[in-house]
Amino acid sequence: LDEARRFASNMNLPGNLHQLWFMTDIQPCIDLYQQLGEITGDAVFSTGAESMMQNVIDDYWDAGSGTIKSSRDQHSTVTDSSYMVFLLSRAKDTAFEVAG
């Protein structure tokens, strides 16, 4: 647990999310932060997960198909959308906004 906390803290994933291009890179980061927030009770991880999820909604939501895109400039897949719905469902106390 200490190593996972140290890794997540040193990487500053919410602040560096712009460097990741594919949902398969981003979703495990969100999952890690959600789990660390739940296990440790440290709000830094919970709010970091929420920040990353809002970023996904802002940058990867395809309003035309109502799904999450695989990358910023690619099509949607059922897997990417399903995993993201799962992650969003774990953020029970958070309201996210979809622009436009």
Side-chain angles (χ1 to χ4, degrees):
L1 179 58
D2 290 338
E3 287 299 317
R5 285 181 82 157
R6 196 170 7 268
F7 171 79
S9 297
N10 290 339
M11 294 300 293
N12 183 20
L13 295 170
N16 290 305
L17 199 65
H18 65 280
Q19 296 180 30
L20 303 176
W21 193 256
F22 295 96
M23 289 307 303
T24 53
D25 298 331
I26 296 168
Q27 290 166 323
C29 298
I30 295 168
D31 204 354
L32 171 66
Y33 266 58
Q34 282 183 327
Q35 289 185 47
L36 284 172
E38 290 171 4
I39 292 167
T40 66
D42 190 337
V44 168
F45 296 115
S46 299
T47 57
E50 292 166 5
S51 171
M52 289 188 279
M53 286 186 277
Q54 185 63 58
N55 180 276
V56 166
I57 292 169
D58 293 344
D59 293 344
Y60 293 85
W61 176 251
D62 182 0
S65 65
T67 59
I68 299 293
K69 296 184 283 185
S70 298
S71 71
R72 290 182 189 148
D73 63 351
Q74 289 187 354
H75 63 330
S76 303
T77 69
V78 172
T79 302
D80 291 321
S81 292
S82 298
Y83 190 20
M84 199 60 217
V85 167
F86 166 73
L87 294 171
L88 288 165
S89 74
R90 294 181 65 206
K92 296 174 182 72
D93 298 327
T94 304
F96 296 99
E97 292 187 30
V98 178

